[in-house]
Amino acid sequence: MNSISVIGTGYVGLVTGTCLSEFGIRVVCMDVDAAKIQALSRGVIPIYEPGLAGLVAKNLESGRLRFTSDIAEAVAASNLIFIAVGTPPGEDGSVDMQHVLAAAASVAENMTDYKVIVNKSTVPVGTGRRVKALVRGTLERRGLAGLEFDVVSNPEFLREGSAVRDFMHPDRVVIGSESEKAANLMRDIYNVLYLIDTPFIFTTLETAELIKYASNAFLATKITFINEIANLCDAAGADVHAIAKAMGLDGRIGKYFLHPGPGYGGSCLPKDTLGLVAIGKEHGVPMSVVAAVIAANDAQTRRMIGKIEAGLGELGGRTIAVLGLSFKPETDDMRAAPSVPIIEGLIAKGCRVRAYDPVAMENAAKGALARHAGTGSFASCADEYDAAKGADAVVLLTEWNQFRHLDLQRLREAMTGRFFFDFRNVYEPKDMAERGFVYAGVGR
Ligand SMILES: NC(=O)c1ccc[n+]([C@@H]2O[C@H](COP(=O)([O-])OP(=O)(O)OC[C@H]3O[C@@H](n4cnc5c(N)ncnc54)[C@H](O)[C@@H]3O)[C@@H](O)[C@H]2O)c1
């Protein structure tokens, strides 16, 4: 039976390890966070990701999946070691590589036989070579200069909220490697995907590393483009949905990622666009399109506060109900969620915010919005109708399914005002007007 180890048990590492164990591979997942590992060993998963808990429980039970905080155990368990640790943005937007380098160093300190070090984290071009040099240096220091190893780049494209399905049915698998032996071992691990005709791209380390940034930056560009068209629609009285539909029917454009909103967020697009600009700078190649996308996206989020102000007038003393905090539905991830700058902006203008999210309340309360707890300007509410109590306006920020079917009469009765800012364009402007709301969407 094939086996792998995964270092880093967050959104990507846990999904990777669990899904590969579901493919029949023996998997050891390792993390430096001992509390997380203890919980996972009991089948308690630390994130909200549909379908994941059941798979973790099933594969723990079968013995194919296990968790450890002991790096030596993880390195000894397999020849293929996936690194799936965080690569957050540094102060200047460049990619903070400390966790990847620490993970690679810990593998080098513990290996005693041939290993393939597979980088799944999103990392700047050149990282594979940097990891190679680091491992080689460590092995020489340990008197193991002759020990063979390979480094592979295998970027991940899963989306939070549909991570299990995305991992099991990817659009493509990218494998960057200079070694045929390592590439063959990777092909073996992904055998199940091979059998369902998933396209595989075998390429160099550098190309694989850049594929990930190019893909994410392009997605961010598409979102930002339609957001700007939506803003023009607002000003010119056109309907962005009809425009997006007509554009999307053009096969050269494609229909995805053409839905306007309050700006992209999450743990990937914001940091990877910043990262690509920094990587370009390092290589003396301006990433001017992506730099413009970042600026336009920041402006889009601020623009939402302007929309609320344009509707309500003076914001001081207003009560605003915010529905949805996570950066998108079906996740509890609050990293770079547009809800945070929007709520911060409303509070700075003197609003009281009453917020509700089906799963992200806990992360919001202990993370980015923690400083407002107990100040009277931010309240965590029990549900959408509780959030609407005494509100001058409702702001829909995340299109959770339960917000698509609101009891609008109940909502209206709980509010003192009539404004409904639908920043995900879930409702029809005409219907909302008929129900007595003063409605504003994005671009229609
Ligand atoms: N989250 C996504 O949707 C997504 C999608 C594709 C790619 N990625 C990329 O995958 C990587 C991981 O992202 P994530 O969202 O899973 O991160 P995460 O923050 O959820 O998880 C990272 C985990 O790594 C652990 N860790 C850090 N240093 C470690 C070390 N030296 N040894 C062992 N464990 C260590 C942390 O404790 C944490 O549990 C990033 O590079 C990200 O850009 C993320």
Side-chain angles (χ1 to χ4, degrees):
M1 187 193 283
N2 278 326
S3 68
I4 63 148
S5 300
V6 183
I7 300 181
T9 312
Y11 287 88
V12 167
L14 182 58
V15 171
T16 300
T18 305
C19 291
L20 287 176
S21 70
E22 180 67 13
F23 287 172
I25 292 162
R26 196 172 279 279
V27 177
V28 176
C29 282
M30 182 270 164
D31 203 289
V32 285
D33 183 340
K36 192 184 260 190
I37 289 299
Q38 271 171 19
L40 283 165
S41 302
R42 296 193 311 273
V44 176
I45 74 163
I47 54 171
Y48 177 85
E49 185 58 53
L52 187 57
L55 285 184
V56 170
K58 177 181 163 198
N59 287 288
L60 266 175
E61 172 88 32
S62 76
R64 276 196 303 272
L65 177 63
R66 65 193 167 89
F67 296 95
T68 181
S69 48
D70 181 354
I71 183 69
E73 182 188 339
V75 172
S78 161
N79 284 341
L80 267 111
I81 301 171
F82 284 69
I83 296 179
V85 299
T87 46
E91 294 270 298
D92 59 354
S94 64
V95 186
D96 180 350
M97 291 295 294
Q98 61 168 313
H99 303 300
V100 170
L101 297 177
S106 64
V107 174
E109 288 293 351
N110 287 280
M111 61 190 270
T112 52
D113 55 1
Y114 174 72
K115 301 290 177 199
V116 181
I117 300 167
V118 184
N119 193 12
K120 227 184 201 326
S121 297
T122 302
V123 292
V125 57
T127 298
R129 265 170 229 293
R130 205 171 157 193
V131 165
K132 257 189 189 175
L134 185 155
V135 173
R136 194 170 302 291
T138 306
L139 291 178
E140 279 167 10
R141 178 173 54 69
R142 291 179 59 211
L144 297 170
L147 198 59
E148 226 196 300
F149 69 95
D150 285 304
V151 174
V152 166
S153 168
N154 172 220
E156 181 52 55
F157 298 93
L158 63 77
R159 297 161 296 177
E160 289 172 19
S162 54
V164 170
R165 193 182 61 226
D166 289 349
F167 191 91
M168 292 193 165
H169 300 277
D171 290 336
R172 74 301 209 188
V173 173
V174 173
I175 294 174
S177 169
E178 291 173 324
S179 147
E180 210 179 314
K181 179 176 173 184
N184 285 337
L185 284 169
M186 291 297 290
R187 199 190 312 249
D188 244 28
I189 287 300
Y190 285 121
N191 186 26
V192 172
L193 299 182
Y194 232 81
L195 296 177
I196 57 168
D197 283 338
T198 306
F200 275 63
I201 313 277
F202 288 96
T203 183
T204 64
L205 281 171
E206 283 77 8
T207 305
E209 288 164 347
L210 262 181
I211 284 171
K212 175 66 190 177
Y213 279 97
S215 302
N216 272 3
F218 191 77
L219 292 173
T221 304
K222 233 179 149 183
I223 294 172
T224 305
F225 183 84
I226 203 66
N227 282 342
E228 288 207 327
I229 296 295
N231 298 342
L232 188 54
C233 288
D234 275 339
D239 177 358
V240 72
H241 280 205
I243 294 173
K245 186 168 183 192
M247 283 173 67
L249 287 168
D250 185 327
R252 295 168 301 175
I253 296 173
K255 64 182 178 183
Y256 299 106
F257 274 64
L258 287 177
H259 194 84
Y264 61 76
S267 69
C268 290
L269 298 191
K271 86 170 170 60
D272 293 347
T273 44
L274 284 168
L276 186 56
V277 169
I279 294 163
K281 203 177 274 175
E282 212 180 299
H283 288 78
V285 180
M287 293 287 113
S288 51
V289 172
V290 184
V293 163
I294 294 167
N297 192 62
D298 290 346
Q300 184 70 8
T301 305
R302 286 194 301 274
R303 195 179 175 90
M304 299 302 110
I305 299 168
K307 265 181 178 273
I308 298 169
E309 203 161 20
L312 290 176
E314 168 61 38
L315 287 180
R318 298 288 196 172
T319 300
I320 311 283
V322 169
L323 306 190
L325 296 173
S326 56
F327 80 98
K328 66 177 200 172
E330 300 299 336
T331 183
D332 58 353
D333 199 344
M334 285 294 298
R335 288 178 285 184
S339 63
V340 175
I342 291 173
I343 288 172
E344 294 280 2
L346 292 172
I347 291 175
K349 285 181 180 283
C351 294
R352 281 184 304 273
V353 171
R354 297 179 58 76
Y356 170 68
D357 186 283
V359 301
M361 292 309 297
E362 201 185 318
N363 281 351
K366 70 179 183 216
L369 297 168
R371 68 194 182 95
H372 298 295
T375 61
S377 41
F378 181 80
S380 298
C381 297
D383 61 28
E384 45 275 64
Y385 306 102
D386 182 29
K389 268 185 200 152
D392 295 289
V394 165
V395 179
L396 200 165
L397 278 184
T398 316
E399 67 278 36
W400 284 94
N401 276 340
Q402 73 186 69
F403 299 154
R404 292 179 185 275
H405 301 283
L406 291 168
D407 180 339
L408 292 167
Q409 189 171 342
R410 191 174 159 200
L411 198 78
R412 192 66 180 79
E413 282 165 8
M415 299 168 66
T416 51
R418 306 194 292 133
F419 286 88
F420 194 108
F421 296 96
D422 178 3
F423 292 157
R424 298 291 180 177
N425 288 353
V426 167
Y427 289 94
E428 284 304 316
K430 197 165 150 279
D431 294 351
M432 294 302 275
E434 279 168 14
R435 287 165 177 272
F437 286 98
V438 179
Y439 174 90
V442 184
R444 55 184 197 144

